[in-house]
Amino acid sequence: MAKAVIAIHGGAGAITRAAMSAEKEQHFRQQLAAIVSAGQQILASGGSALDAVTEAVRLLEECPLFNAGRGAVFTHQSTHELDASLMDGRTLDIGAVAGVSRIRNPVLAARKVLEASPHVLFIGSGAEAFAAQQGLTPVEPDFFSTPERWEQLQRALGSEQMLLDHDGAAQESDPLDPDRKFGTVGAVALDLQGNLAAATSTGGMTNKQAGRVGDSPLAGAGCYANNATVAVSCTGTGEVFIRTLAAYDVSAQMEYGGRSLQQATASVIHDKVQELEGSGGLIAVDAHGNVALPFNSEGMYRGFAYVGGEVEVAIYRDS
Ligand code: ASP
């Protein structure tokens, strides 16, 4: 029987441990642990990896601490444009949506694309119409707005930068400097039947131009799953993760290069992404149930649990 396991991330970025209250850190850790544990229970009761990653990402989207679903960042034009994707390692089926602003849970729309459409990626109003047709209740775009994200946009507009590059001071409320963090969320899992799945969802980058799409909805870049090798979900400088085909490269290094999960994931994050000056990380689970959570930023919100095991969560390099 497979060693069933789920891993999740809530984004990577510049860490400012000193600026964080113990209370806030506790809040992040509790949320991460609760979501890992929800995914772990699905796997423990015989649920599929696809169901476990869908539910974990839906819960991360519902949590305003993370830049996906509610709490998504603003574009330069003060709108929200959300992206999500999901891949089934058993069938290599993919479902994805990009540039949507009226779908409460983009990962559920991606799941509908995977299950109910011959296509793999829908964008904008077409994606929203498809989701509504499939029975997902639409929301107004301001559903996603939070005061914290609005302030983040104002700081970005003031400095005329996209916030990925911004060096603004850390906010008390957030252990990762909110001006330099990548808040994308994701999950990867191996179920008791030996099937792998991955899902990724994001609001993108604060102050991005309307219409910009990052790696998150692109299978092979921000998300990939193949039962023969690995399931991967990425977070970071989207353009670099697209240019390096980061998620697929992990799989290719394992399949064609005979590399271990640890070697392949380290090579992608610490060599390939780093060489193009990308920042961020990924979570990955291989077909044997090994887990890797590498990142080249100061921190990454992350957690994992094996069925029957303890829930582990971490934010910094050391814990
Ligand atoms: N990778 C995402 C993007 O470029 C950003 C993130 O990870 O937060 O849209």
Side-chain angles (χ1 to χ4, degrees):
M1 196 182 263
K3 209 168 144 195
V5 60
I6 181 156
I8 67 168
H9 71 79
I15 213 145
T16 51
R17 201 168 206 160
M20 173 192 49
S21 71
E23 203 186 349
K24 196 72 190 180
E25 177 177 335
Q26 215 29 46
H27 191 32
F28 272 95
R29 289 185 188 275
Q30 275 164 3
Q31 294 290 322
L32 288 169
I35 294 169
V36 170
S37 153
Q40 183 192 35
Q41 277 166 32
I42 292 173
L43 295 174
S45 59
S48 69
L50 197 61
D51 282 349
V53 298
T54 305
E55 178 60 4
V57 168
R58 188 191 70 79
L59 291 169
L60 286 158
E61 287 177 343
E62 288 291 303
C63 178
L65 292 174
F66 304 108
N67 168 24
R70 245 177 90 227
V73 298
F74 283 92
T75 66
H76 182 72
Q77 288 77 6
S78 303
T79 55
H80 299 288
E81 292 187 354
L82 285 67
D83 305 327
S85 63
L86 165 90
M87 185 156 178
D88 183 347
R90 184 176 66 87
T91 58
L92 303 185
D93 278 336
I94 297 167
V97 294
V100 300
S101 56
R102 294 175 181 275
I103 300 175
R104 176 172 178 146
N105 294 110
V107 73
L108 296 185
R111 180 76 186 253
K112 292 289 186 192
V113 174
L114 185 148
E115 284 174 344
S117 161
H119 307 305
V120 298
L121 170 62
F122 279 77
I123 62 165
S125 54
E128 290 161 357
F130 174 78
Q133 238 174 47
Q134 291 297 317
L136 299 182
T137 315
V139 291
E140 288 303 314
D142 65 3
F143 168 82
F144 301 107
S145 307
T146 62
E148 292 76 23
R149 297 301 185 202
W150 181 250
E151 279 162 29
Q152 231 172 295
L153 175 65
Q154 302 317 308
R155 285 198 299 278
L157 291 170
S159 69
E160 292 179 5
Q161 287 182 33
M162 290 219 297
L163 281 185
L164 289 186
D165 304 316
H166 188 67
D167 275 332
Q171 305 297 294
E172 266 272 332
S173 59
D174 194 334
L176 295 185
D177 176 344
D179 291 352
R180 293 175 60 207
K181 90 172 187 195
F182 312 100
T184 291
V185 307
V188 291
L190 173 68
D191 63 29
L192 290 167
Q193 291 73 44
N195 296 312
L196 288 165
T200 307
S201 180
T202 192
M205 302 189 311
T206 297
N207 203 19
K208 69 182 179 182
Q209 287 300 318
R212 176 265 186 190
V213 176
D215 60 313
S216 309
L218 303 179
C223 179
Y224 188 73
N226 184 339
N227 271 9
T229 49
V230 67
V232 182
S233 171
C234 303
T235 176
T237 327
E239 283 71 9
V240 173
F241 282 77
I242 295 172
R243 290 164 64 202
T244 54
L245 283 174
Y248 178 70
D249 197 53
V250 173
S251 175
Q253 290 196 31
M254 293 173 71
E255 185 174 359
Y256 304 128
R259 291 196 156 179
S260 70
L261 178 78
Q262 303 300 331
Q263 290 168 332
T265 54
S267 154
V268 167
I269 292 301
H270 299 299
D271 300 337
K272 298 197 167 189
V273 166
Q274 187 87 40
E275 271 160 27
L276 297 184
E277 291 173 13
S279 172
L282 60 80
I283 56 171
V285 171
D286 72 13
H288 308 289
N290 297 306
V291 173
L293 314 164
F295 52 95
N296 68 2
S297 46
E298 284 91 333
M300 180 166 81
Y301 296 110
R302 60 201 188 279
F304 71 94
Y306 285 93
V307 165
E310 294 289 308
V311 172
E312 312 264 351
V313 300
I315 300 174
Y316 310 107
R317 279 185 192 280
D318 52 355
S319 66

